[in-house]
């Protein structure tokens, strides 16, 4: 393929302008990827296509990735099965059945068809005529592509073909979990206990002596591979974590990252997953990275950022509009409360709310913290982004404010050690389902912990870790032997909403462009004589 | 002329004659008809007339207003309705593209029809997301998108028999009604914008 230097330059400028994350490909590959994923031609012009009946589509709406997915392995939507278009599925020789092909099984693959050639594939993309000479259905647009652009796209499809996947061997599937140096030691231990027991359970059913199975006539089976867990413990400053992770991945290739636990920042880990195109399922992150255009990092919720939105919703809808409300937020330096406070301040309209953020140094003792809060008198609303130890050490009586909000996620949900007098005035952001509604869904992991004698030291972290183990396990079972990293993410997106055991959450769902599986929460207050009961202020809120 | 177009009148006739339920006509998802579009087994569109009752639910319009679905539908204008979600890759953009074409082809006449698109993924599709989605399809003043609670969206989906257990299984359905109180014309599958406009005009003429 030949492209003018100017064309290349323009393409790159455009890529940079839109901030596409994948600039690791050199020249041509980046340009063909832009056609496939973003509907942008090397000239910078939008990809143009027509559907029957004169429906024209342009740009990202017409990008191949929308239907055929990033893996090129297609999908099922409604009654439509979108076939795989990764090269090996187009160019394989004619065979009797899919079983006769040496290709990983995906729905929509076809064996009994003459192989495409570059010429018939170009005809398919431009004119909607299949290798067999028959027209495609209305779902496949007819693309307007020049010869150079076509060659570029076809080259891209060819390299999409599944090949050897790092972390997958004949007998072992390798996974990692990531722990930052500032992770809470209890949460770390609780998470590792669950992961290790889950892997033991998983391997318990694998008989080493039985032969390796592969997909056959669409029968589902347990793929006979051991699961092996690598614990990637990071050290030192966050700036060095990406390098450490790259070295660990090179030394111990893995198919995916299951869970992890951190402290102040998760951004380097998130960036690592995106840069390596490594599926990463993170149940335990208080402060995830919100970038819905990213692909590989999946979270159960937006964590404290969701809580900030829940509190902002309450304040903007419940407070009378005629006067300016004074909001004081308290958090510790070097904890995620700072970002949460920033998100809440940004979400409150300036003309109605005067927000003051007061942070306490990371090493400050609880007396200094209490003193900072005592100065809240005169504010209408106090917002606490504090951990249980700080909450337990608050003055017995709250300052004279109209109401107090607190982070449930940081403060320990209903087990928060908030002093009794505070419970009468405090509302808690509660980004999980209510205790009585989630009981059955949580009995399952809690029972599993009991039987396996796993001490419950950090219940939310452990239940969420168990949940994500189950999600990965189910997804891998459904992938049969098609171990492709992008396909793993795509299958999680498709399957997640079918899960019944959803732990703390009323429901979970993902989709292309959705990276946070649970999207809402409650605001609750304490009730009962001892303040031990929780009552929701209103319905499940999706801010 | 495409295979699908040639099949269309037969299909419409057949549907009326056999009174196939929309589900039955579109169902039967056996291994043999996993309709890879290459295999060219996509079913021809099927129309039916069904007396759906508009459910008593509250939705949130793309402008952020909380509205009653019944009131939105019963303002006197003919209604053309579909169900979409903004993260949907293949079917929804096609359905929204068809609405956009109908709007464009009808010109000023489109202002007298209420085009309605209800999200089946309301927890993700905030009014802001729907507004952006609508803008991408050039939605004019007579075309509104709706979200709300999950329960409200499900109630609407069930009332119009488009709920199939999850988002990914949603069938491509277009519904139209000439005026409040009249039955709905339901189209399962895809008609071209011109065919839909023809269908709409026939519906108006018949009422």
């Amino acid at each position: 393929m030949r492209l003018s230097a100017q064309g290349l330059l323009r393409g790159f400028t455009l890529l940079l302008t839109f901030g596409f994350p994948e600039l690791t490909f050199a020249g041509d590959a980046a340009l063909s990827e832009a056609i496939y994923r973003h509907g942008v031609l090397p000239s910078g012009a939008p990809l143009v296509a027509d559907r029957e009946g004169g429906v024209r589509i342009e740009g990202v709406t017409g990008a191949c990735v929308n239907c055929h997915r990033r893996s090129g392995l297609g999908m099922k939507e409604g009654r439509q099965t979108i076939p795989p278009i990764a090269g090996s599925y187009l160019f394989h020789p004619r065979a009797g059945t899919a079983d006769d092909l040496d290709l990983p099984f995906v729905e929509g693959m076809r064996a009994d068809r003459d192989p495409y050639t570059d010429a018939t594939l170009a005809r398919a993309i431009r004119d909607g005529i299949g290798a067999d000479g028959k027209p495609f259905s209305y779902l496949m647009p007819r693309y307007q592509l020049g010869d150079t652009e076509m060659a570029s796209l076809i080259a891209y499809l060819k390299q999409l073909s599944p090949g050897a996947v790092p972390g997958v061997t004949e007998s072992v599937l390798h996974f990692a979990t990531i722990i930052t140096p500032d992770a809470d030691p209890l949460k770390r231990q609780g998470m590792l206990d669950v992961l290790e027991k889950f892997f033991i359970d998983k391997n318990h059913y694998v008989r080493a002596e039985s032969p390796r199975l592969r997909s056959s006539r669409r029968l589902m089976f347990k793929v006979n591979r051991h699961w092996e867990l690598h614990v990637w413990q990071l050290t030192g400053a966050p700036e060095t974590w990406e390098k450490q992770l790259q070295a660990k991945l090179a030394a111990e290739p893995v198919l995916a990252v299951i869970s992890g636990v951190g402290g102040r920042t998760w951004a380097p880990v998130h960036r690592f997953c995106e840069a390596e195109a490594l599926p990463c399922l993170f149940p335990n992150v208080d402060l995830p990275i919100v970038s819905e255009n990213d692909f590989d990092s999946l979270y159960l919720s937006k964590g404290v950022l969701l809580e900030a939105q829940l509190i902002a919703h309450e304040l903007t809808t419940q407070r009378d509009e005629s006067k300016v409300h004074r909001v004081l937020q308290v958090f510790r330096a070097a904890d995620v409360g700072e970002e949460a406070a920033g998100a809440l301040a940004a979400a409150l309209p300036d003309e109605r709310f005067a927000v003051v953020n007061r942070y306490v140094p990371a090493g400050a003792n609880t007396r200094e913290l209490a003193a900072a809060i005592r100065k809240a008198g005169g504010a209408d609303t106090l917002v606490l982004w504090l951990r249980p130890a700080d909450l337990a050490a608050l003055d017995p009586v709250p300052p004279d404010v109209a109401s107090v909000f607190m982070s449930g996620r940081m403060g320990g949900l209903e087990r928060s050690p908030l002093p009794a007098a505070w419970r009468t005035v405090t509302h808690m952001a509660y980004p999980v389902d209510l205790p009585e509604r989630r009981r059955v869904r949580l009995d399952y992991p809690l029972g599993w912990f009991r039987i396996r004698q796993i001490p419950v030291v950090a219940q939310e972290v452990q239940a969420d870790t168990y949940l994500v183990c189950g999600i990965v396990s189910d997804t891998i079972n459904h992938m049969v032997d098609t171990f492709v990293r992008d396909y793993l993410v795509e299958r999680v997106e498709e399957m997640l909403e079918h899960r019944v055991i959803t732990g703390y959450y009323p429901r979970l769902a993902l989709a292309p462009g959705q990276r946070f599986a649970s999207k809402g929460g409650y605001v609750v207050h304490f009730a009962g004589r001892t303040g031990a009961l929780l009552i929701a202020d209103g319905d499940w809120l999706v801010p | 002329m495409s295979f699908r177009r040639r099949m269309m009148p037969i299909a419409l006739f057949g549907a009326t004659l056999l009174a196939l339920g929309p589900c039955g006509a579109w169902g039967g998802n056996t291994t043999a008809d996993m309709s890879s579009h290459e295999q060219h087994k996509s079913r021809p569109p099927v129309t039916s007339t069904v007396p759906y009752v508009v459910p008593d639910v509250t939705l949130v319009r793309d402008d952020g207003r909380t509205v009653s679905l019944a009131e939105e539908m019963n303002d006197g204008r003919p209604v053309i309705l579909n169900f979409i979600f903004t993260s949907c890759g293949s079917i929804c953009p096609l359905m929204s593209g068809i609405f956009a074409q109908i709007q464009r082809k009808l010109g000023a006449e489109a202002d007298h029809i209420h085009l309605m698109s209800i999200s089946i993924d309301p927890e993700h599709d905030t009014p802001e997301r729907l507004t952006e989605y609508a803008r991408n399809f050039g939605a004019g003043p007579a075309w509104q998108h709706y979200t709300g609670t999950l329960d409200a969206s499900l109630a609407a989906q069930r009332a119009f028999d488009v709920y199939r257990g999850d988002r990914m299984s949603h069938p491509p359905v277009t519904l139209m009604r000439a005026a409040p109180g009249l039955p709905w014309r339901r189209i399962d599958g895809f008609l071209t914008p011109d065919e839909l406009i023809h269908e709409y005009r026939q519906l108006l003429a018949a009422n």
Side-chain angles (χ1 to χ4, degrees):
Chain A
M1 191 179 88
R2 286 181 56 190
L3 280 168
S4 70
Q6 203 192 355
L8 267 176
L9 194 68
R10 240 182 327 187
F12 265 121
T13 317
L14 190 99
L15 285 173
L16 289 170
T17 315
F18 285 96
F20 296 155
E22 311 79 15
L23 284 174
T24 46
F25 283 85
D28 288 359
L31 293 176
S32 50
E33 187 176 279
I35 303 176
Y36 187 91
R37 290 192 188 172
H38 307 287
V40 177
L41 298 175
S43 65
L47 177 65
V48 173
D50 290 297
R51 279 186 162 128
E52 242 184 308
V55 180
R56 169 157 290 201
I57 46 178
E58 284 189 20
V60 70
T61 315
C64 320
V65 73
N66 292 324
C67 298
H68 297 283
R69 311 308 313 277
R70 189 181 282 226
S71 65
L73 296 180
M75 66 165 174
K76 203 155 177 256
E77 186 172 309
R79 303 285 178 200
Q80 307 293 332
T81 301
I82 310 284
I85 55 166
S88 45
Y89 291 86
L90 297 174
F91 296 103
H92 66 73
R94 179 186 274 275
T97 70
D99 298 331
D100 302 329
L101 293 174
D102 192 20
L103 284 173
F105 169 78
V106 289
E107 272 193 48
M109 69 189 285
R110 281 192 63 194
D112 57 337
R113 177 195 63 203
D114 286 331
Y116 275 96
T117 62
D118 285 11
T120 56
L121 186 55
R123 182 183 68 173
I125 295 167
R126 286 199 183 107
D127 307 322
I129 309 289
D132 54 7
K134 290 182 187 159
F136 292 157
S137 84
Y138 49 84
L139 264 189
M140 174 69 180
R142 281 52 166 157
Y143 289 93
Q144 298 176 12
L145 286 168
D147 290 343
T148 318
E149 295 155 350
M150 183 63 79
S152 172
L153 180 59
I154 290 175
Y156 187 78
L157 298 182
K158 286 179 179 170
Q159 63 80 39
L160 272 181
S161 309
V165 184
V168 180
T169 71
E170 283 286 301
S171 55
V172 182
L173 292 180
H174 294 270
F175 298 93
T177 191
I178 299 174
I179 300 166
T180 69
D182 58 343
D184 178 320
L186 267 188
K187 290 180 178 172
R188 176 189 191 279
Q189 195 51 52
M191 179 191 78
L192 285 178
D193 283 349
V194 172
L195 284 172
E196 281 159 10
K197 284 287 192 312
F198 192 91
F199 274 62
I200 289 170
D201 254 32
K202 191 79 198 157
N203 293 331
H204 189 68
Y205 297 102
V206 177
R207 288 167 191 273
E209 66 272 19
S210 60
R212 187 174 81 91
L213 299 170
R214 66 184 297 272
S215 60
S216 180
R217 308 200 184 276
R218 302 189 175 192
L219 290 175
M220 303 307 263
F221 57 91
K222 265 198 161 40
V223 176
N224 187 22
R225 285 182 172 89
H226 273 271
W227 281 37
E228 198 169 317
L229 179 68
H230 302 268
V231 178
W232 290 350
Q233 173 70 57
L234 299 171
T235 56
E239 302 80 66
T240 66
W241 294 352
E242 274 178 271
K243 273 234 153 54
Q244 291 180 45
L245 288 168
Q246 285 159 9
K248 287 176 190 298
L249 180 63
E252 301 170 334
V254 297
L255 172 63
V257 174
I258 305 182
S259 188
V261 59
R264 171 60 192 267
T265 177
W266 196 251
V269 183
H270 179 103
R271 281 198 301 270
F272 161 76
C273 297
E274 297 303 317
E276 299 292 339
L278 181 64
C280 293
L281 287 92
F282 292 134
N284 307 316
V285 179
D286 287 336
L287 179 66
I289 310 309
V290 180
S291 178
E292 305 267 7
N293 291 326
D294 284 351
F295 184 79
D296 299 284
S297 315
L298 307 176
Y299 299 91
L300 285 184
S301 85
K302 282 186 187 165
V304 292
L305 300 175
L306 169 61
E307 294 190 321
Q309 290 175 311
L310 290 170
I311 296 171
H313 181 274
E314 284 298 282
L315 287 175
T316 47
T317 54
Q318 304 299 328
R319 294 292 178 274
D320 111 56
E321 294 190 21
S322 62
K323 65 177 206 113
V324 174
H325 293 270
R326 286 161 300 169
V327 178
L328 175 75
Q329 306 195 77
V330 180
F331 49 86
R332 267 192 193 266
D335 201 353
V336 297
E338 180 171 359
E339 281 79 5
L344 174 55
L348 294 174
D350 287 346
E351 64 277 12
R352 288 180 56 199
F353 295 92
V355 183
V356 175
N357 290 341
R358 184 163 298 159
Y359 78 88
V360 181
N365 60 35
T366 48
R367 272 203 313 282
E368 290 173 69
L369 180 78
I373 289 170
R374 226 167 285 139
K375 291 182 204 147
D380 305 294
T381 300
L382 175 64
V383 183
L384 304 177
W385 300 102
L386 297 173
R387 301 285 176 182
D390 285 336
L391 293 171
L394 292 173
D395 283 350
V397 178
D400 182 24
V401 293
S403 64
V404 179
F405 283 86
M406 66 172 279
S407 160
R409 189 175 172 103
M410 293 179 71
L413 299 180
E414 61 279 357
R415 289 188 306 281
S416 166
L418 195 67
W422 287 75
R423 292 181 177 248
T424 57
V425 290
T426 301
H427 300 260
M428 186 196 283
Y430 200 77
V432 292
D433 206 357
L434 297 172
E436 65 274 17
R437 295 192 195 173
R438 68 181 188 230
R439 186 166 298 128
V440 173
R441 291 194 304 267
L442 266 184
D443 275 348
Y444 199 81
L446 295 178
W448 191 86
F449 299 160
R450 212 164 29 245
I451 291 164
R452 279 152 193 84
Q453 299 177 323
I454 298 174
V456 178
V457 292
Q459 184 171 306
E460 293 96 274
V461 164
Q462 290 174 293
D464 283 356
T465 303
Y466 178 78
L467 177 58
V468 161
C469 285
I471 291 168
V472 174
S473 174
D474 290 355
T475 307
I476 290 205
N477 283 347
H478 277 260
M479 285 165 65
V480 192
D481 50 3
T482 311
F483 296 110
V484 173
R485 283 172 169 179
D486 288 347
Y487 187 58
L488 172 58
V489 175
E490 293 159 11
R491 293 313 309 252
V492 172
E493 282 177 2
E494 274 178 49
M495 290 179 49
L496 192 56
E497 70 181 295
H498 298 287
R499 273 197 87 74
V500 179
I501 307 290
T502 51
Y504 272 96
Y505 307 92
R507 58 192 154 267
L508 301 169
L510 293 168
Q514 296 185 21
R515 271 14 207 173
F516 303 94
S518 178
K519 296 170 173 70
Y522 292 93
V523 175
V524 300
H525 61 272
F526 298 93
R529 212 157 45 83
T530 56
L533 283 174
L534 279 187
I535 306 283
D537 290 2
D539 294 332
W540 174 260
L541 265 178
V542 183
Chain B
M1 183 191 265
S2 77
F3 173 76
R4 194 172 66 77
R5 285 251 193 99
R6 272 185 279 114
M7 283 300 292
M8 222 262 312
I10 304 167
L12 292 179
F13 175 66
T16 326
L17 199 68
L18 299 171
L20 279 173
C23 189
W26 199 250
N29 181 25
T30 63
T31 307
D33 69 18
M34 291 287 191
S35 50
S36 137
H37 52 59
E38 202 171 332
Q39 286 165 288
H40 202 76
K41 282 182 183 161
S42 41
R43 286 146 190 271
V46 172
T47 67
S48 50
T49 300
V50 195
Y52 294 120
V53 177
V54 179
D56 179 20
V57 293
T58 301
L59 296 175
V60 179
R61 210 164 54 192
D62 46 17
D63 61 3
R65 288 269 310 270
T66 299
V67 295
S68 140
L69 177 61
E71 281 174 25
E72 288 291 293
M73 286 184 162
N74 295 345
D75 67 356
R77 287 180 289 176
V79 172
I80 307 183
L81 167 71
N82 66 16
F83 292 82
I84 54 98
F85 65 109
T86 64
S87 311
C88 160
S90 57
I91 291 174
C92 312
L94 178 51
M95 302 214 299
S96 298
I98 289 169
F99 265 36
Q101 288 281 14
I102 291 175
Q103 185 184 249
R104 196 179 61 77
K105 284 172 186 259
L106 287 178
E109 194 187 342
D111 295 342
H112 306 292
I113 306 172
H114 195 189
L115 293 167
M116 299 177 68
S117 298
I118 299 176
S119 171
I120 63 168
D121 187 12
E123 293 212 331
H124 180 73
D125 291 340
T126 56
E128 298 76 36
R129 280 211 175 85
L130 286 176
T131 302
E132 191 192 338
Y133 181 84
R135 190 170 47 236
N136 288 342
F137 285 97
W143 180 7
Q144 264 88 45
H145 290 72
Y146 298 85
T147 181
T149 64
L150 186 65
D151 286 344
S153 172
L154 285 176
Q157 293 173 56
R158 290 205 172 95
F160 289 99
D161 188 22
V162 295
Y163 183 65
R164 297 289 178 272
D166 63 62
R167 292 169 308 175
M168 292 303 282
S169 305
H170 80 284
V173 171
T174 311
L175 296 133
M176 45 179 83
R177 190 187 65 179
L182 294 174
W184 291 81
R185 177 67 52 92
R186 175 185 176 111
I187 299 118
D188 278 85
F190 288 105
L191 293 180
T192 66
D194 285 335
E195 289 161 354
L196 271 176
I197 289 171
H198 178 72
E199 192 72 23
Y200 166 73
R201 294 234 159 91
Q202 279 197 328
L203 184 67
L204 280 198
N207 292 288

